[in-house]
């Protein structure tokens, strides 16, 4: 009976990690990979209009929006603001460009995010290259989408 | 003013203060266990990534280390047993301990021979009398030892419990590393969350990497020095090699100390000038390999401190807490400097100061 309870706990815990598959970056990762990822993730809540980060801050944490909306202002968006919602991530593209934030993020509504430090994500990728390849594939895809989007705008 | 909020924070501060006072005796346990867990962490992480649950990974690492320690000590036990038997014979005898019994110990016997030899070579040194006085002091200490053990049993039990508790606390620090980290980050407000992550990351990378690198370097220099000294025929090569390896923790002066120890050892044994040159060359070769291959690969970056500052820090460490503090003072000052530097830089960048 106790053993059965223990097995049940293992599976119920797995369900907790599966929510990371809602993010495009991790949708192809296995249950064990997600468990290891969960060890490094931190859940944070921001109230409406609370600043998440500002332009010029050091770039260390990558945020994944779980619920709510975030308002972005900065280099990529010109004078406009961009609103992003659940499933989107912040800070990953900047990571390949500079060591400081190029935009300001403010909670548009009450927001819940998953956060992982750049160093932890890199450690994770180094330790699990197969996962790194899957993550890199998604990042490349997002970069391509961004380039074509910009090209379309320019035309 | 929100009185309820203020009242809560005051209560919280009082509780934290009370907890600090209550737990103040175990801080050194925590620090030692923390260092212990930092050194073992990569092995545990490696096993965890092989689909082994973290607590089992920790147990496997513990058992492996216990096995290694048992294997290494088993090779030294025959020698230690001989000396321990001599000691037990002395302690078990209620008659007054005399210097002849002490001189049955191989180490003291060889030391006496060496002192007599040195007195014969250097006139006016008169070390033989001083050695006799030293033996007298040892004799007095031996006679009082059983009483001392009984009188200080609490201190001895404390020391044993300290050594025993470190792996136990370390087990939980290793097993629940991520839970502890999440709890700590959870305490920080959104404003300081990223800053906390950066600081903790820097502590992890600097302290963890440095401790593991130093341990590897001590082991590699000890092995290299022991091998090199045994090749050139210096006696007690393992003892001198291990001492040189440990002394190597102190930048600039540590390696010199190791080399000097080897040369002085040959001198004390009445070795020839060529034997001393060989010993010095062997230690120089070890340093050459260490500085050009082991250190850059294992440690990566050197401790960038001015030699004068290193000397002053080692002296201050020696005055403060003896040999142990001489060894740890330089790395400690370097780590604190690095962390303060990171803290200042990031507080500026986050526009907090």
């Amino acid at each position: 009976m106790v053993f059965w309870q223990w097995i049940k706990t293992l599976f119920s815990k797995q369900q907790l990690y599966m929510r990371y598959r809602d993010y495009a970056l991790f949708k192809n990762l296995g249950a064990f990979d997600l468990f290891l990822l969960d060890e490094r993730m931190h859940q944070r809540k921001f109230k409406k209009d609370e600043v998440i980060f500002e332009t010029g801050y050091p770039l260390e944490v990558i945020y994944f929006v779980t619920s709510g909306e975030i308002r972005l202002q900065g280099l990529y968006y010109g004078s406009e603001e961009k609103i992003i919602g659940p499933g989107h991530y912040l800070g990953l593209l900047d990571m390949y460009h500079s060591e400081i934030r190029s935009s300001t993020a403010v909670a548009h509504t009450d927001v819940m995010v998953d956060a992982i430090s750049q160093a932890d994500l890199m450690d994770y990728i180094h330790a699990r290259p197969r996962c790194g390849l899957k993550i890199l594939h998604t990042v490349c895809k997002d970069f391509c989408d961004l380039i074509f989007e910009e090209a379309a705008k320019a035309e | 003013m929100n009185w309820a909020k203020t009242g809560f924070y005051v209560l919280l501060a009082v509780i934290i203060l009370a907890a600090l006072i209550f737990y103040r005796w175990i801080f050194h346990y925590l620090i030692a266990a923390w260092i212990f867990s930092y050194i073992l962490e990569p092995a545990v992480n490696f096993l965890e990534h092989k689909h082994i649950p973290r607590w089992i990974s920790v147990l496997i690492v513990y058992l492996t280390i216990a096995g290694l320690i048992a294997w290494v000590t088993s090779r030294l036990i025959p020698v230690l047993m001989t000396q321990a038997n001599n000691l037990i014979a002395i302690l078990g005898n209620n008659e007054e301990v005399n210097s002849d019994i002490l001189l049955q110990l191989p180490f003291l016997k060889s030391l006496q021979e060496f002192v007599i030899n040195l007195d014969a070579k250097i006139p006016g040194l008169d070390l033989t009398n001083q050695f006799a006085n030293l033996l007298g002091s040892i004799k007095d200490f031996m006679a009082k030892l059983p009483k001392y053990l009984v009188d200080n049993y609490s201190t001895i039990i404390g020391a044993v419990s300290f050594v025993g508790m470190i792996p136990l606390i370390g087990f939980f620090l290793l097993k629940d590393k991520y839970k502890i980290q999440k709890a700590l980050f959870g305490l920080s407000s959104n404003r300081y969350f990223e800053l906390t992550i950066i600081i903790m990351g820097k502590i992890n990378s600097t302290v963890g990497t440095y401790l593991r690198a130093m341990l590897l370097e001590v082991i590699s220099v000890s092995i290299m020095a022991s091998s090199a000294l045994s090749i050139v025929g210096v006696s007690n090569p393992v003892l001198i090699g291990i001492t040189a390896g440990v002394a190597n923790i102190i930048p600039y002066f540590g390696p010199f100390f190791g080399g000097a120890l080897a040369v002085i050892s040959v001198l004390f044994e009445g070795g020839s000038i060529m034997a001393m040159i060989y010993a010095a060359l062997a230690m120089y070769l070890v340093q050459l390999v260490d500085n050009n291959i082991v250190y850059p690969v294992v440690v990566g970056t050197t401790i960038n401190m001015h030699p004068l500052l290193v000397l002053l820090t080692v002296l201050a460490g020696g005055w403060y807490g003896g040999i142990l503090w001489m060894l740890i003072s330089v790395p400690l000052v370097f780590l604190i400097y690095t962390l303060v530097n990171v803290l200042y830089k990031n507080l500026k960048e986050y526009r907090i100061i």
Side-chain angles (χ1 to χ4, degrees):
Chain A
M1 194 63 190
V2 176
F3 181 73
W4 177 242
Q5 286 294 331
W6 180 65
I7 295 285
K8 260 174 77 178
T9 321
L10 284 183
F11 282 101
S12 65
K13 270 185 184 172
Q14 275 202 6
Q15 292 307 312
L16 288 174
Y17 317 135
M18 291 304 170
R19 68 189 181 82
Y20 294 118
R21 285 202 176 140
D22 293 344
Y23 308 126
L25 215 58
F26 307 128
K27 71 178 174 194
N28 296 320
L29 301 190
F32 184 69
D33 300 323
L34 294 174
F35 159 73
L36 292 177
L37 190 73
D38 177 71
E39 289 187 326
R40 291 154 177 83
M41 281 282 195
H42 307 277
Q43 222 170 29
R44 307 292 301 184
K45 283 177 189 169
F46 290 89
K47 285 186 178 160
K48 187 176 185 290
D49 293 328
E50 194 177 350
V51 175
I52 298 168
F53 54 78
E54 285 181 42
T55 310
Y57 273 17
L59 203 166
E60 181 56 36
V61 179
I62 298 156
Y63 293 99
F64 299 87
V65 186
T66 311
S67 65
E69 288 180 332
I70 292 173
R71 205 164 56 233
L72 292 168
Q73 299 164 313
L75 187 68
Y76 298 129
Y77 319 106
S79 56
E80 293 172 16
E81 284 183 345
K82 188 180 179 185
I83 309 279
I84 59 162
H88 281 82
Y89 54 82
L90 295 168
L92 199 68
L93 299 189
D94 273 355
M95 200 173 95
Y96 294 94
H97 172 63
S98 165
E99 287 181 354
I100 55 164
R101 302 268 187 199
S102 66
S103 55
T104 296
V106 180
H108 193 58
T109 59
D110 282 358
V111 172
M112 188 174 270
V113 294
D114 283 315
I116 187 167
S117 84
Q118 207 187 96
D120 278 347
L121 185 65
M122 286 298 131
D123 275 351
Y124 176 79
I125 288 170
H126 280 294
R128 306 194 72 73
R130 274 169 180 269
C131 299
L133 202 65
K134 288 173 186 172
I135 292 170
L136 195 67
H137 181 264
T138 315
V139 172
C140 288
K141 191 180 167 301
D142 284 0
F143 268 127
C144 279
D145 289 349
L146 194 72
I147 290 165
F148 281 103
E149 205 178 289
E150 289 301 312
K153 271 186 201 170
E155 274 185 12
Chain B
M1 193 177 195
N2 188 342
W3 288 104
K5 203 173 177 180
T6 312
F8 172 75
Y9 283 127
V10 169
L11 182 70
L12 195 67
V14 170
I15 290 170
I16 290 171
L17 192 70
L20 284 176
I21 293 167
F22 182 72
Y23 288 112
R24 71 187 185 280
W25 304 110
I26 51 135
F27 282 141
H28 60 293
Y29 283 78
L30 273 178
I31 291 169
W34 184 53
I35 290 170
F36 182 74
S37 67
Y38 260 123
I39 292 168
L40 300 187
E41 201 198 322
V44 174
N45 285 349
F46 173 79
L47 290 174
E48 193 190 18
H49 280 279
K50 301 285 173 203
H51 290 237
I52 299 170
R54 199 166 172 89
W55 68 274
I56 297 178
S57 305
V58 180
L59 277 183
I60 292 172
V61 172
Y62 269 36
L63 288 174
T64 311
I65 289 171
L68 270 173
I69 291 171
W71 183 75
V72 170
T73 46
S74 71
R75 299 183 75 88
L76 295 173
I77 277 177
V79 181
L80 292 174
M81 282 292 280
T82 314
Q83 298 200 3
N85 280 336
N86 285 336
L87 268 177
I88 289 164
I90 293 164
L91 291 174
N93 195 346
N94 284 330
E95 294 164 22
E96 198 185 344
V97 181
N98 63 54
S99 304
D100 292 343
I101 294 173
L102 281 174
L103 285 170
Q104 283 172 10
L105 292 169
F107 169 72
L108 289 178
K109 197 177 176 184
S110 60
L111 198 64
Q112 190 202 29
E113 284 166 8
F114 161 72
V115 166
I116 293 168
N117 191 18
L118 204 66
D119 264 352
K121 282 189 176 176
I122 308 168
L125 200 60
D126 195 29
L127 276 179
T128 314
N129 275 338
Q130 288 182 36
F131 185 72
N133 290 338
L134 180 74
L135 280 185
S137 308
I138 294 172
K139 184 189 77 175
D140 289 345
F141 175 73
M142 289 294 196
K144 287 175 191 163
L145 192 59
K147 190 176 178 302
Y148 175 81
L149 289 174
V150 173
D151 289 348
N152 294 281
Y153 76 98
S154 62
T155 315
I156 293 159
I157 288 171
V160 171
S161 82
F162 181 73
V163 173
M165 284 300 280
I166 291 167
L168 192 65
I169 300 171
F171 175 82
F172 291 105
L173 289 181
L174 280 165
K175 183 179 92 64
D176 295 329
K177 182 204 163 189
Y178 293 107
K179 281 182 191 165
I180 295 168
Q181 243 179 28
K182 280 188 183 196
L184 283 175
F185 289 140
L187 291 174
S188 64
S189 67
N190 285 338
R191 173 89 173 101
Y192 297 102
F193 171 63
E194 289 198 10
L195 182 69
T196 316
I197 279 199
I198 289 175
I199 302 294
M200 291 294 283
K202 196 69 188 174
I203 291 174
N204 274 338
S205 64
T206 311
V207 180
T209 311
Y210 185 77
L211 286 174
R212 286 187 288 270
M214 284 323 290
L215 183 71
L216 276 175
E217 216 215 349
V218 166
I219 292 169
S220 62
V221 170
S222 301
I223 292 170
M224 285 192 300
S226 304
S227 313
L229 291 174
S230 67
I231 289 168
V232 296
V234 175
S235 49
N236 302 320
V238 178
L239 184 70
I240 299 171
I242 291 172
T243 313
V246 174
N248 216 52
I249 292 173
I250 306 169
Y252 304 112
F253 304 100
F256 173 76
F257 176 77
L261 191 67
V263 173
I264 290 169
S265 165
V266 176
L267 175 76
F268 279 8
E269 282 167 4
S272 65
I273 298 286
M274 278 313 287
M276 280 187 260
I277 292 171
Y278 283 144
L281 270 177
M283 291 305 284
Y284 177 70
L285 206 68
V286 169
Q287 283 307 316
L288 214 62
V289 175
D290 177 46
N291 290 335
N292 293 295
I293 299 169
V294 180
Y295 205 92
V297 172
V298 175
V299 184
T301 52
T302 53
I303 290 185
N304 194 14
M305 277 169 73
H306 193 276
L308 181 65
L309 184 59
V310 171
L311 180 65
L312 293 175
T313 308
V314 171
L315 285 175
W319 278 106
Y320 179 72
I323 291 173
L324 181 69
W325 274 87
M326 282 172 88
L327 289 173
I328 64 170
S329 58
V330 175
L332 198 68
V333 167
F334 172 71
L335 290 175
I336 291 170
Y337 165 75
T338 311
L339 293 177
V340 170
N341 197 21
V342 170
L343 192 65
Y344 175 75
K345 192 170 155 255
N346 284 286
L347 284 172
K348 276 270 188 204
E349 282 177 340
Y350 279 104
R351 295 163 210 155
I352 294 168
I353 55 169

